[in-house]
């Protein structure tokens, strides 16, 4: 009966079905080994397709034995046992997992539902254990970040902010010179990292162990659990790295409430951190993900994206808060630094992170920082134009606005490449600037030209605060020359051109001429011959006395006032003194030489002829020193 059934099955089905049916018949009879062997011979004689059934059934018996051995290893392994000190135990456990997975994959035990249930239970138990070991291995092999290793040299720009003494509006701080004193603080462009800097934040020796566990979990269909454990642990590790780098977890609202001095420090830390995060930390995480999940690129990609998303998002939240914060001129350089830093690492980030949402957010924040930089620059331009302080500078000194703007501009030039990109499509009001070859100038050059033109107009307005016309020219000379020197001694000259410098130097010379005329014309008028007579013998002593007396009074008043005036530039100061001497001393020497004898014969001659030409020349050297001088009657020989 059995033989007939078997023969019918063979004729009705394919080879696989025949073998499976024959195997099931033999197993269901539960006969002794000797009887089974006789039955196998009978089956194999019916059809050559059954010639390998003995291997099949013997293999099933071997598979069951292998399964039971592997199952026993998995069941006896205590989840509390420490694998860290038992590499042989780890290897045995992983081999047991491999054995069961292989048996299931080969279908060797699938015909037995009971064993299959036990296999699934064993795999589930093993995956739970492996998940725990994966977590513990990650935690105990995480290396804390050594922030000191991250930072290279910090380049300091030769400009500094000093305290505002109140001469200009609150919109500006005085942007002082290097060496102004302890109040100066440098603008730092941030840390530069070595291109070959590589840091492992997971012990290298643990990577193989993690990869072995990950491979089993993925093969068993537990890739989701594996990725979740890895991304959670490494996400926390990256969060800790941000804390070490000084990057706090702040909301947009919290960032916008921070005072500028504190925000400035946080922006500097962010600039340094973004380079480290992308080029060192994320690069390291990508390397580890590729190594641990190397058998499955897609799983490794998902795991990496999930791991770094939180870290990148935290960095972006701060940058976004800065980009939409209140605009003020002192923030511009930090915003530009943030923009440059993010733009610099963006290609590296895009090469690693494939999450489109994250990449889109990064690009959005980069554009927002660029917009903030443009807006802040425009605010600065408006502030220069509208700065209307009414306090005249004592002594005609360089105005704080001039110092601030020129030091600001000098630092801006360091960002020319970035600003040219940001300002490329902007249009400006070019009224009155047509003669300066605007079409040939870069975007930043055009904006700086307009800015300095605005500054010059503002300085001209402030010159009118002085009642003394001569002092107006001293003030204009001091300020225009300061502007020229800052342009000439920096990259600004390459942007504006030599012709711009020549024009302003010509202005300084015109102001000097106007100063001489406004100051010394009255004194020189006292030394003219008109009204005295055609010759020395006919000269009126009364007129001579009045002329000498008027000159003395005029000179003494100029000396008293203009010794308090300040010309900071030593070359300009010397040139003014030489011009005064060349104009006044020869005229006085000639007048004194012609008419001195007419008065010396009379009484009190020294009352009128108080100074020799040499005396006057000596006194001229005291002008423009910034401290009022008292002109004493010189003691001459014989008096």
């Amino acid at each position: 009966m059995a033989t007939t059934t078997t023969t019918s099955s063979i004729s009705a089905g394919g080879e696989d079905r025949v073998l499976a049916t024959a195997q099931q018949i033999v197993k269901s009879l539960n006969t002794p080994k000797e009887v089974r062997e006789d039955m196998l011979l009978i089956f194999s004689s019916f059809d050559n397709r059954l010639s390998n059934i003995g291997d099949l059934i013997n293999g099933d018996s071997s598979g069951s034995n292998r399964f039971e051995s592997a199952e026993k290893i998995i069941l006896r392994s205590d989840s509390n046992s420490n694998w860290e000190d038992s590499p042989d135990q780890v290897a045995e456990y992983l081999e047991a997992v491999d054995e069961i997975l292989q048996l299931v994959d080969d279908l060797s035990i699938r015909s037995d539902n009971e064993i299959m249930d036990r296999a699934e239970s064993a795999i589930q138990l093993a995956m739970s254990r492996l998940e725990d070991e994966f977590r513990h291995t990650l935690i105990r092999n995480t290396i804390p970040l050594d922030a000191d290793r991250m930072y290279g040299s910090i380049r300091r720009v030769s400009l500094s902010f000093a305290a505002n003494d109140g001469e200009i509006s609150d919109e500006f701080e005085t942007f002082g010179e290097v060496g102004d004193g302890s109040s100066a603080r440098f603008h730092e462009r941030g840390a530069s990292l070595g291109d070959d800097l590589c840091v492992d934040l997971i012990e290298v020796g643990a990577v193989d162990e993690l990869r072995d566990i990950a491979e089993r979990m993925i093969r068993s269909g537990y890739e989701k659990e594996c990725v979740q454990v890895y991304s959670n642990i490494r996400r926390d590790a990256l969060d800790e790295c941000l804390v070490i780098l000084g990057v706090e977890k702040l909301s947009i609202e919290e960032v916008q409430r921070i005072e500028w001095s504190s925000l400035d420090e946080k922006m500097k830390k962010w600039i340094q951190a973004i380079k480290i995060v992308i080029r060192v930390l994320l690069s390291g995480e990508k390397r580890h993900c590729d190594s641990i999940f190397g058998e499955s690129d897609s799983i490794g990609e998902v795991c990496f994206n999930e791991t770094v998303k939180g870290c990148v998002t935290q960095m972006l939240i701060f940058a976004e808060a800065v980009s939409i914060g209140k605009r003020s001129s002192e923030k511009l350089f930090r915003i530009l630094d943030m923009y440059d830093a993010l733009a610099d690492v963006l290609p590296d980030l895009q090469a690693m992170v494939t999450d489109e949402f994250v990449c889109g957010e990064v690009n959005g924040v980069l554009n927002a920082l660029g917009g903030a930089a443009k807006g802040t620059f425009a605010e600065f331009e408006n502030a220069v134009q509208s700065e209307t302080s009414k306090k005249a500078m004592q002594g005609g000194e360089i105005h704080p606005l001039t110092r601030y703007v020129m030091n600001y501009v000098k630092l801006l030039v360091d960002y020319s490449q970035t600003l040219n990109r940001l300002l490329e499509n902007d249009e400006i009001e070019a009224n009155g600037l047509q003669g300066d070859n605007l079409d040939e100038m870069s975007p930043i050059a055009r904006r700086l030209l307009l800015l300095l033109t605005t500054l010059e107009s503002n300085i001209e307005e402030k010159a009118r605060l002085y009642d003394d016309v001569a002092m107006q020219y001293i003030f204009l000379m001091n300020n225009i020359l300061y502007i020229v020197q800052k342009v000439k001694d920096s990259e600004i000259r390459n942007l504006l051109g030599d012709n711009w410098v020549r024009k302003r130097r010509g202005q300084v010379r015109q102001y000097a001429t106007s100063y001489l005329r406004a100051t010394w014309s009255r004194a020189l008028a006292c030394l003219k011959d008109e009204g005295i007579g055609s010759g020395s013998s006919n000269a009126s002593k009364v007129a001579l006395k009045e002329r000498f007396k008027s000159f003395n009074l005029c000179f003494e008043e100029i000396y008293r006032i203009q010794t308090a005036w300040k010309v900071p530039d030593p070359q300009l100061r010397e040139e003014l003194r030489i011009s005064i001497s060349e104009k006044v001393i020869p005229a006085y020497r000639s007048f004194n030489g012609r008419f001195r004898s007419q008065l010396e014969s009379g009484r009190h001659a020294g009352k009128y002829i108080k100074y020799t030409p040499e005396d006057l020349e000596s006194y001229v050297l005291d002008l423009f020193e910034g401290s009022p001088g008292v002109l004493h009657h010189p003691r001459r020989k014989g008096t």
Side-chain angles (χ1 to χ4, degrees), residues 479-492:
N479 283 269
I480 298 302
L481 181 61
Y482 182 86
I483 293 171
V484 169
Q485 288 173 332
K486 285 292 182 180
V487 170
K488 183 176 66 70
D489 298 336
S490 70
E491 290 299 314
I492 310 173

Side-chain angles (χ1 to χ4, degrees), residues 180 302 361 446 493:
D180 276 350
V302 170
E361 288 292 296
R446 288 195 294 269
R493 181 172 192 163

Side-chain angles (χ1 to χ4, degrees), residues 271-430:
I271 292 160
Q272 295 174 3
I274 194 67
K275 302 171 187 176
I276 295 170
V277 166
I278 304 302
R279 291 199 168 138
V280 180
L281 302 187
L282 266 59
S283 177
E285 290 301 321
K286 186 69 167 65
R287 191 170 60 252
H288 290 318
C289 276
D290 290 345
S291 181
I292 294 169
F293 300 98
E295 294 298 317
S296 176
D297 292 340
S298 61
I299 294 175
E301 181 180 306
V302 170
C303 191
F304 175 74
N305 287 336
E306 287 300 313
T307 298
V308 305
K309 185 184 297 183
C311 174
V312 173
T313 299
Q314 182 176 335
M315 299 292 290
L316 293 180
I317 288 173
F318 180 85
E320 183 182 2
V322 168
S323 71
I324 61 178
K326 182 181 178 182
R327 291 171 181 170
S328 56
S329 56
E330 70 270 17
K331 292 182 181 179
L332 177 58
F333 304 110
R334 288 281 176 251
I335 294 173
L336 286 170
D337 287 338
M338 291 179 68
Y339 177 89
D340 282 343
L342 187 56
D344 192 35
V345 300
L346 182 59
D348 298 313
L349 180 68
Q350 291 174 327
M352 294 184 289
V353 177
T354 57
D355 188 302
E356 292 184 2
F357 176 79
V358 173
C359 291
E361 288 292 296
V362 175
N363 277 294
V365 170
L366 180 65
N367 291 333
L369 286 172
K374 288 174 59 177
T376 304
F377 186 26
E379 288 288 325
F380 175 70
E381 292 172 315
N382 293 335
V384 173
Q385 185 174 14
S386 60
E387 204 288 311
T388 56
S389 57
K390 298 299 183 182
K391 182 179 179 181
M393 293 300 298
Q394 186 174 1
E397 248 274 41
I398 300 167
H399 199 279
L401 178 66
T402 307
R403 293 184 185 274
Y404 185 99
V405 172
M406 292 313 300
N407 284 282
Y408 198 97
V409 168
K410 189 175 180 181
L411 186 51
L412 269 178
V413 174
D414 203 38
Y415 298 86
S416 291
Q417 186 175 358
T418 301
L419 288 168
N420 279 329
R421 186 164 62 250
L422 293 175
L423 302 172
E424 186 174 6
N425 297 319
D426 285 10
E427 295 183 1
I428 64 170
E429 293 290 336

Side-chain angles (χ1 to χ4, degrees), residues 90-102:
V90 176
E92 182 185 45
Y93 193 90
L94 294 177
E95 287 176 6
V97 173
D98 289 341
E99 190 69 72
I100 294 178
L101 291 174
Q102 187 64 46

Side-chain angles (χ1 to χ4, degrees), residues 63-75 96 100-101 103-104 109-110 112-126:
S64 297
N65 292 335
R66 286 158 53 200
F67 168 74
E68 289 177 358
S69 297
E71 181 188 41
K72 189 180 297 182
I73 292 172
I74 291 173
L75 293 176
I100 294 178
L101 291 174
L103 288 169
V104 173
I109 60 174
R110 291 210 167 192
D112 192 318
N113 292 333
E114 179 187 352
I115 293 181
M116 278 300 298
D117 289 342
R118 287 165 58 191
E120 290 175 0
S121 297
I123 290 173
Q124 188 174 358
L125 181 64

